[in-house]
Amino acid sequence: MRAPGTVVADDTRLGVVTAKFNGFVEELYVPSVGEPAKRGHKLMKVWIESPDILQKQADLTSTMTGAGRGGTLHESAERNLRFFGFSDEAVEEIRKAGRPLRSLTLNVPRDGTVLEKPALVGMRFSSGDTLFRTADLSTVWIIAQVAEGDLALIREGQAASVQLKAFPNETREGKVERIYPELNMATRTVPVRIVLSNADGRLRPGLFAEVVFANGTGEAVIAIPDSAVMDSG
């Protein structure tokens, strides 16, 4: 049984980079879409506009001297800054400078590839704005659209072969991981998810695929729509 499908990014491997304060983009270390992004590497430098964040930094510096040094207030001030995206390096820089930082470097939160980059040098952003969207494409999903009448032949764990229009001479093997719960009323199809390894990075979101599901009998089956049969009498 065959069904059309599309390559999509693995939802569990998507990431969004936002800031938890207002500010301006000063510099981009990952300048364009399609660039690889490694966890912990520099992503961008931002100028902090929020007085609240400056005050939280001042709270840390005030606990570095006297009785508050190394105490509960000091640890609490560090936790507050890390909650707002300050890395260990940034906290250490505040300690060394003894004053709040106006510029902060944000690091890549997880491995992936940049899919979207709304951030531009000089742009002002607000708390919660999406600055980057990334995806780890080492594993991708094939979403096959299975016709309502064929749904009874599909089960989770079933073997499936995938052939992509972009690479017609290659066949990749996978298994049905999930049969989605909702029927598309317009097309009368149900999305079925197949997971494929993408170690070579050639499978890109949006590519068209044809999925062949194993029928479990070992026999080849050819099926055609009833409307395709012409009764000659």
Side-chain angles (χ1 to χ4, degrees), residues 10-169:
D10 184 337
D11 280 357
T12 65
R13 296 169 182 262
L14 293 175
V16 174
V17 177
T18 63
K20 297 180 180 179
F21 50 83
N22 299 341
F24 293 84
V25 177
E26 287 190 328
E27 189 173 355
L28 295 175
Y29 300 110
V30 180
S32 62
V33 172
E35 295 284 337
K38 295 294 184 182
R39 181 178 180 180
H41 288 192
K42 292 180 179 181
L43 182 63
M44 60 191 302
K45 181 188 286 187
V46 299
W47 190 83
I48 302 170
E49 181 187 27
S50 171
D52 184 50
I53 300 300
L54 296 175
Q55 181 59 53
K56 291 182 184 301
Q57 295 184 70
D59 292 342
L60 175 63
T61 58
S62 67
T63 64
M64 293 170 57
T65 57
R69 184 172 185 177
T72 304
L73 291 177
H74 184 84
E75 294 176 359
S76 177
E78 280 193 9
R79 283 197 302 271
N80 282 339
L81 289 177
R82 289 194 173 91
F83 176 77
F84 282 92
F86 283 69
S87 63
D88 292 341
E89 293 80 5
V91 172
E92 184 61 28
E93 188 176 348
I94 295 171
R95 288 200 193 101
K96 290 180 179 179
R99 55 179 174 76
L101 303 178
R102 290 311 303 252
S103 294
L104 174 67
T105 298
L106 300 180
N107 295 331
V108 179
R110 61 191 303 179
D111 291 345
T113 300
V114 176
L115 298 184
E116 295 179 13
K117 188 191 70 67
L120 299 171
V121 174
M123 181 187 81
R124 184 185 185 278
F125 59 84
S126 299
S127 175
D129 286 351
T130 297
L131 302 175
F132 282 84
R133 192 170 76 89
T134 65
D136 180 356
L137 299 177
S138 60
T139 298
V140 296
W141 292 350
I142 305 294
I143 303 298
Q145 302 297 332
V146 175
E148 181 180 7
D150 295 329
L151 191 59
L153 303 175
I154 305 297
R155 65 186 184 281
E156 293 181 2
Q158 182 176 359
S161 299
V162 179
Q163 193 171 56
L164 291 108
K165 187 174 182 180
F167 312 109
N169 298 322

